[in-house]
């Protein structure tokens, strides 16, 4: 299940091994991991080292460990991570604003990519869902679907006007 780990930077290495296990096995929120004892045996480490790594991953919202239920992958909650970013001295208001701006740019980029690839049939088949998405897009990013659609490479904004 897990590969053995060298005894350098134990908690960091165990965190990396758990992360790799989650990604390689496509684990989703709610999926259970091995017990601390099983992981300790697989890694060739003490349960205390595994417990420390699990506690770190719990603190940032990646895992959830409950007595009698075991360790499971948790639904990502960005607020859990943001809460702990305030402890990092190098993170200040400017850094947070830059992170927000980066997130906004990525979100808009994804929306633009979807708009370039979506067909009129797809838009019309889920018109109500598209209208809802347009409202959310405008409320969160201050961008309208029509603004983005008018910038399509083809230059053709098409006949669909839902949400505009």
């Amino acid at each position: 299940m897990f590969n053995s780990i060298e005894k350098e930077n134990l908690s960091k290495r165990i965190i990396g091994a758990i992360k790799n296990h989650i990604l390689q096995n496509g684990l989703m929120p709610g999926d259970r991991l091995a017990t601390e004892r099983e992981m300790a045996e697989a890694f060739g480490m003490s349960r205390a080292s595994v417990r420390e790594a699990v506690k770190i991953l719990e603190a940032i919202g990646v895992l959830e460990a409950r007595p009698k239920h075991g360790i499971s992958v948790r639904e990502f909650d960005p607020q859990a991570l943001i809460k702990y970013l305030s402890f990092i001295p190098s993170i200040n208001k400017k850094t947070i604003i830059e992170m927000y701006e980066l997130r906004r740019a990525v979100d808009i980029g994804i929306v633009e990519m979807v708009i370039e690839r979506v067909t009129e049939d797809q838009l019309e088949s889920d018109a109500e869902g598209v209208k809802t998405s347009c409202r959310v897009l405008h409320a969160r990013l201050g961008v309208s679907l029509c603004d983005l659609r008018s910038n399509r490479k083809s230059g053709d904004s098409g006949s669909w006007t839902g949400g505009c």
Side-chain angles (χ1 to χ4, degrees), residues 2-153:
F2 294 102
N3 297 325
S4 183
I5 297 177
E6 295 176 26
K7 297 186 186 232
E8 185 181 322
N9 297 319
L10 294 179
S11 61
K12 287 181 183 178
R13 297 188 69 127
I14 294 170
I15 288 169
I18 292 171
K19 178 188 108 178
N20 288 338
H21 176 74
I22 291 169
L23 296 174
Q24 289 172 353
N25 292 289
L27 299 182
M28 301 300 288
D31 290 345
R32 292 183 59 188
L33 296 174
T35 65
E36 286 179 1
R37 179 171 302 157
E38 291 168 336
M39 284 193 264
E41 289 174 12
F43 297 146
M45 303 290 162
S46 69
R47 272 184 72 190
S49 296
V50 172
R51 186 176 302 119
E52 178 183 353
V54 168
K55 291 292 182 194
I56 291 168
L57 291 169
E58 268 189 293
I60 61 171
V62 174
L63 296 180
E64 180 178 20
R66 294 182 3 211
K68 308 282 185 201
H69 289 93
I71 303 165
S72 60
V73 178
R74 193 169 169 189
E75 184 77 39
F76 179 67
D77 178 12
Q79 293 305 320
L81 184 58
I82 289 169
K83 181 170 106 177
Y84 293 99
L85 288 178
S86 65
F87 288 106
I88 301 172
S90 63
I91 293 187
N92 55 35
K93 184 178 179 180
K94 182 181 177 197
T95 306
I96 292 170
I97 291 169
E98 289 170 346
M99 289 169 45
Y100 170 77
E101 289 171 348
L102 174 63
R103 170 67 192 266
R104 187 171 186 268
V106 169
D107 287 348
I108 290 172
I110 290 170
V111 170
E112 288 175 340
M113 183 180 67
V114 168
I115 289 169
E116 287 176 5
R117 296 179 182 179
V118 71
T119 66
E120 294 297 321
D121 290 341
Q122 290 170 323
L123 289 172
E124 289 174 11
S125 70
D126 189 20
E128 194 56 41
V130 172
K131 288 177 185 177
T132 300
S133 297
C134 288
R135 287 190 291 272
V136 170
L137 176 68
H138 191 267
R140 290 191 180 169
L141 302 176
V143 175
S144 79
L145 183 62
C146 290
D147 293 341
L148 294 172
R149 284 182 55 82
S150 67
N151 291 328
R152 286 178 87 164
K153 289 180 183 174

